[in-house]
Amino acid sequence: MPHRFLVPTLLSIILSSFVFISQCSPPEQQSQQQEQQSSVQQTPTPELAEYMSTMSYYTHKFALAVDAQNQELAQFYFHEIRAIADEIKKDIPGYEGYDIARLMELFLDPTIQPVEDALADRNWETTRKVAIDFIGSCNTCHNASGHGFVNVTPGFDNNPYNQDFSVEE
Ligand code: HEC
């Protein structure tokens, strides 16, 4: 190889090996990070307040959809509420010495079917009444589990969301 080619060739070998090394190490670090993250995710400690917060959020949206007499939307939110209630029973059967699953069954569960029936019938007057009963049962359970100071209201007529709850024309 002529001398004038040798230096650039050596340089390019050194350079490309640098590029190779620097490309190699980040994925290694990434996979280490992923390992650390997944070991954290393997031992989740579900926080009851977070489930409750989400349930409360959907409950208010549900009430606003009832207010707007929007069956499809109200059913959608009520379905979400039910799903979270089921998750709580499964994931957090006990909390601070309270049998949460049992209390949910005792207070919340009996108020669910009347809401579904009234909604299915588009009987808005009844839906409103049983929705109030349903939300009342949230507070009954708060009282029974040492959290009576968390007082949930339906929040009808009180839309803080960037969302129009009315039926599509
Ligand atoms: C087991 C009975 C029980 C039922 C039924 C229940 N809750 Fe709760 N709720 C609790 C307990 C216990 C806490 C306190 C959780 C904590 O200390 O982390 C709580 C906390 C909350 C909070 C405080 C968290 C926050 O984000 O402000 C809200 C809001 C709430 N619940 C809303 C509701 C709504 C809405 C319903 C009904 C759809 C409901 N809860 C049904 C037991 C219940």
Side-chain angles (χ1 to χ4, degrees), residues 47-50 52-57 59-60 81 88 95-96 98-105 107-108 134-135 137-142 144-147 149-150 152:
E47 187 51 64
L48 181 57
E50 278 168 32
M52 286 290 164
S53 177
T54 312
M55 195 152 73
S56 199
Y57 174 81
T59 299
H60 191 192
I81 296 165
I88 293 173
Y95 184 81
E96 290 182 354
Y98 293 104
D99 188 341
I100 296 298
R102 176 89 191 96
L103 290 173
M104 301 266 301
E105 276 164 22
F107 298 118
L108 198 74
F134 171 77
I135 292 155
S137 84
C138 309
N139 293 322
T140 310
C141 199
H142 290 160
S145 56
H147 285 79
F149 50 87
V150 181
V152 193

Side-chain angles (χ1 to χ4, degrees), residues 26-169:
E28 264 172 34
Q29 284 169 2
Q30 272 173 18
S31 78
Q32 272 177 2
Q33 279 169 0
Q34 275 165 5
E35 266 169 35
Q36 280 168 0
Q37 276 172 4
S38 68
S39 75
V40 168
Q41 279 162 4
Q42 273 163 14
T43 52
T45 42
E47 187 51 64
L48 181 57
E50 278 168 32
Y51 284 91
M52 286 290 164
S53 177
T54 312
M55 195 152 73
S56 199
Y57 174 81
Y58 285 132
T59 299
H60 191 192
K61 287 197 165 196
F62 159 74
L64 292 171
V66 169
D67 231 0
Q69 305 198 342
N70 189 337
Q71 185 196 36
E72 196 180 10
L73 194 60
Q75 281 174 332
F76 167 75
Y77 288 129
F78 204 67
H79 180 87
E80 296 301 321
I81 296 165
R82 284 200 63 167
I84 296 165
D86 286 344
E87 272 178 50
I88 293 173
K89 279 191 249 172
K90 189 163 57 67
D91 296 349
I92 315 179
Y95 184 81
E96 290 182 354
Y98 293 104
D99 188 341
I100 296 298
R102 176 89 191 96
L103 290 173
M104 301 266 301
E105 276 164 22
L106 204 63
F107 298 118
L108 198 74
D109 286 3
T111 66
I112 286 174
Q113 197 58 48
V115 173
E116 301 216 312
D117 292 345
L119 256 184
D121 293 347
R122 290 178 191 264
N123 186 336
W124 295 111
E125 208 181 312
T126 308
T127 302
R128 225 180 149 89
K129 250 183 25 217
V130 290
I132 292 169
D133 292 344
F134 171 77
I135 292 155
S137 84
C138 309
N139 293 322
T140 310
C141 199
H142 290 160
N143 283 320
S145 56
H147 285 79
F149 50 87
V150 181
N151 189 7
V152 193
T153 64
F156 291 133
D157 270 334
N158 182 10
N159 181 2
Y161 301 108
N162 54 341
Q163 185 176 345
D164 178 356
F165 287 83
S166 60
V167 181
E168 266 183 304
E169 296 302 328

Side-chain angles (χ1 to χ4, degrees), residues 11-26:
L11 267 176
S12 75
I13 289 170
I14 290 168
L15 218 108
S16 59
S17 61
F18 262 122
V19 168
F20 180 68
I21 288 165
S22 67
Q23 276 178 347
C24 273
S25 59

